[in-house]
Amino acid sequence: MRSRLTGAMVRQGFRALDAAALGVALVLSVTLSHADLAQLWPCVLGAVMGFGLLPGMGAYIYAPGERMWKALARAVAGTGLAILAVLLINALVPATRPATLSWSLVSLGAIAATHAGGLACVRRWRRAGRLTPNILVVGATENAQKLIETALRTREVAVLGLFDDRSDRIPTTIHGVPVLGDTRALLQHRILPYVDRIVLTVNAAGPARTAELIERLHVLPNELCLFLDAEDPGSRSTTLSWLARSTLSVRGAKARDGRQLAKRAQDLLAGALLLVAALPVMAVIALLVRLDSPGPILFRQRRHGFNNEEILVWKFRSMRTDATDQAGARQVAVGDERVTRIGRFIRNTSLDELPQLINVLQGRMSLVGPRPHPIGMKTAGQDSHRLVAEYAWRHRMKPGITGWAQINGSRGPVNTAEEVRRRVELDVDYIERQSFWLDLYILAMTVPRLLGDGEAVR
């Protein structure tokens, strides 16, 4: 799920490559023709026209199994129209001829090369499953059968399984898709971290039943969609376009590709700079941890990540090795005897979290997001995730090193149901409002809020 690509992401990436290719063509046309910059204006106009015409010619549509020449023909056609316009200017204004001829040849070759490479990448991503959305179907209805039949034919989505409360009265498979249990089994099923969306295919004649299912499943972090059965899916050329038109998102995290790309770019750039800057400090801490108590320098713990995925989170070890609590069943208290001398210092200053910059660069975490809780964490003797029905909503985004909850006072252990509820509310509030600028604000406020917080147990 963390490495999943969407069509919008791919289109934006390829459009950026085309813009770069057309820009390089402008530079090369000047170099090859030795033309003056004043003669370049038809080429600039052609580059802008070509960039605008490519989407309209379907240059960014890469259908499964499509031959290379068809995809290249659409890209060349879009660029060719812009070249015809430039050549017309060339005929009317002969002084621009050297630059326009060079630009026409170079831009045509550059666009053909980028789209040939683009189609090769798309094919590789499809084989790896990175462009194939995974869905679960709830309801063994006629609509579900149509959905599965179309998915099998087009291979545009992967139906991982089907759930129905009548699982004891229906076949164990439908067109080869396994029936994995009832909706109660779905709520705790281990397949959930690998699912992009859950599609309800219940009959329209049962609105009460539909409302009940939505209410029961809304606690999951996955996007929840209702199949409207507006048209026959068999008439659609691709399941993805049909599914987008025939489902209504009712609950869950919706993909916001622009924000996701900006957030990942922010994580990679800022995370790499912070890691380089922190390396001397990390080296000193590693030495102190080693000298202070026997055991490994780093502590690894399984925690919940995006979509309930289990991830390994790295920290500097702050407790005695013999008192390590991998499950997080016992949260840290004031004067906790398990914490070492150096451990108390690095926990109070949150320096023990610095190795999580590696998790950020790996893509398992983000700089800003809901803090990842240990799997099996307990509050007042109860599983923390059972105290708040909406607890899993905080997994609708990658976990972060810092977050909205942390700069608003919800740091360290959560010892009561009310504290768990407060943290979940803050985390969900951040997920709904997340933006590049909000992330910068949280990063800027983390250190002063941390230094000014002497009460939180860490």
Side-chain angles (χ1 to χ4, degrees):
M1 284 295 296
R2 283 185 283 104
S3 62
R4 178 78 73 236
L5 296 171
T6 67
M9 284 183 178
V10 173
R11 283 193 299 273
Q12 290 171 2
F14 288 165
R15 289 214 75 191
L17 285 176
D18 282 345
L22 291 170
V24 169
L26 285 173
V27 175
L28 288 177
S29 63
V30 174
T31 304
L32 294 174
S33 63
H34 304 289
D36 296 330
L37 292 179
Q39 300 174 334
L40 199 62
W41 66 267
C43 304
V44 174
L45 179 62
V48 173
M49 287 181 60
F51 185 73
L53 287 170
L54 284 169
M57 298 301 294
Y60 304 104
I61 299 175
Y62 300 111
E66 184 177 41
R67 295 184 180 277
M68 178 73 76
W69 68 268
K70 288 186 177 180
L72 292 181
R74 292 195 298 270
V76 169
T79 312
L81 290 175
I83 289 174
L84 287 177
V86 171
L87 292 179
L88 179 60
I89 297 173
N90 182 38
L92 299 175
V93 187
T96 64
R97 186 169 299 167
T100 55
L101 290 176
S102 299
W103 177 84
S104 299
L105 294 174
V106 174
S107 61
L108 197 63
I111 293 298
T114 58
H115 282 262
L119 183 57
C121 288
V122 167
R123 287 175 174 174
R124 185 168 64 252
W125 291 332
R126 281 203 172 105
R127 285 194 300 269
R130 298 187 66 188
L131 276 172
T132 306
N134 295 330
I135 68 172
L136 289 178
V137 175
V138 176
T141 63
E142 184 179 351
N143 294 341
Q145 294 185 40
K146 292 178 181 179
L147 190 159
I148 294 170
E149 289 171 357
T150 309
L152 290 173
R153 184 174 67 254
T154 64
R155 301 292 180 179
E156 284 290 294
V157 297
V159 184
L160 302 187
L162 189 145
F163 290 83
D164 195 294
D165 286 332
R166 305 163 300 164
S167 57
D168 57 340
R169 290 176 285 163
I170 59 177
T172 56
T173 63
I174 295 180
H175 296 301
V177 175
V179 177
L180 300 176
D182 56 17
T183 52
R184 287 178 298 179
L186 171 59
L187 292 172
Q188 300 294 333
H189 206 284
R190 62 187 301 178
I191 203 173
L192 285 173
Y194 310 102
V195 176
D196 294 276
R197 62 165 57 172
I198 299 171
V199 180
L200 275 62
T201 58
V202 293
N203 293 321
R209 171 63 176 161
T210 302
E212 179 189 349
L213 281 173
I214 292 173
E215 185 62 29
R216 184 184 303 177
L217 300 177
H218 86 284
V219 298
L220 298 174
N222 313 74
E223 184 180 357
L224 185 61
C225 300
L226 182 65
F227 175 51
L228 300 178
D229 197 21
E231 299 180 46
D232 177 13
S235 65
R236 295 292 179 189
S237 57
T238 67
T239 305
L240 279 181
S241 62
W242 158 70
L243 191 59
R245 293 181 176 91
S246 304
T247 56
L248 173 67
S249 179
V250 290
R251 294 285 175 91
K254 298 179 181 179
R256 295 176 289 187
D257 299 308
R259 290 188 183 183
Q260 290 177 5
L261 287 172
K263 190 171 180 64
R264 184 57 184 151
Q266 181 186 53
D267 287 341
L268 288 173
L269 180 59
L273 293 175
L274 288 172
L275 182 59
V276 171
L279 282 176
V281 178
M282 294 172 67
V284 173
I285 294 173
L287 178 61
L288 293 176
V289 170
R290 171 66 74 183
L291 296 175
D292 185 48
S293 62
I297 294 171
L298 295 177
F299 171 66
R300 298 184 305 169
Q301 189 176 53
R302 289 197 173 274
R303 298 192 177 192
H304 283 299
F306 174 64
N307 244 23
N308 277 339
E309 177 191 22
E310 291 188 11
I311 62 173
L312 272 178
V313 173
W314 295 82
K315 299 177 65 174
F316 282 117
R317 181 176 59 83
S318 59
M319 292 187 180
R320 301 194 321 271
T321 304
D322 60 341
T324 299
D325 182 12
Q326 289 287 351
R330 177 186 169 188
Q331 298 189 57
V332 177
V334 177
D336 200 313
E337 73 283 356
R338 298 172 299 167
V339 181
T340 64
R341 290 172 299 174
I342 293 300
R344 187 165 288 107
F345 169 73
I346 61 176
R347 290 181 72 92
N348 288 338
T349 55
S350 290
L351 291 173
D352 60 326
E353 313 284 357
L354 285 178
Q356 290 170 27
L357 290 169
I358 299 173
N359 290 124
V360 171
L361 297 181
Q362 289 174 332
R364 295 173 180 171
M365 291 179 62
S366 181
L367 289 174
V368 181
R371 283 292 299 158
H373 288 170
I375 296 170
M377 188 179 82
K378 293 185 181 294
T379 299
Q382 301 183 60
D383 291 334
S384 301
H385 68 88
R386 297 185 184 276
L387 296 176
V388 182
E390 296 80 10
Y391 184 89
W393 289 8
R394 64 194 307 277
H395 300 145
R396 292 176 176 175
M397 185 173 284
K398 285 182 187 178
I401 296 179
T402 185
W404 184 242
Q406 282 63 50
I407 70 167
N408 281 282
S410 182
R411 302 185 64 89
V414 280
N415 298 310
T416 66
E418 184 56 38
E419 289 179 356
V420 177
R421 187 173 296 107
R422 170 65 174 159
R423 181 164 298 178
V424 171
E425 288 176 354
L426 289 168
D427 287 338
V428 174
D429 182 41
Y430 165 74
I431 291 171
E432 296 296 330
R433 299 171 50 200
Q434 190 274 326
S435 69
F436 177 80
W437 299 110
L438 180 60
D439 283 358
L440 287 183
Y441 172 76
I442 292 172
L443 289 171
M445 294 302 296
T446 293
V447 173
R449 292 289 170 87
L450 174 65
L451 297 178
D453 179 11
E455 297 181 0
V457 179
R458 294 188 289 269

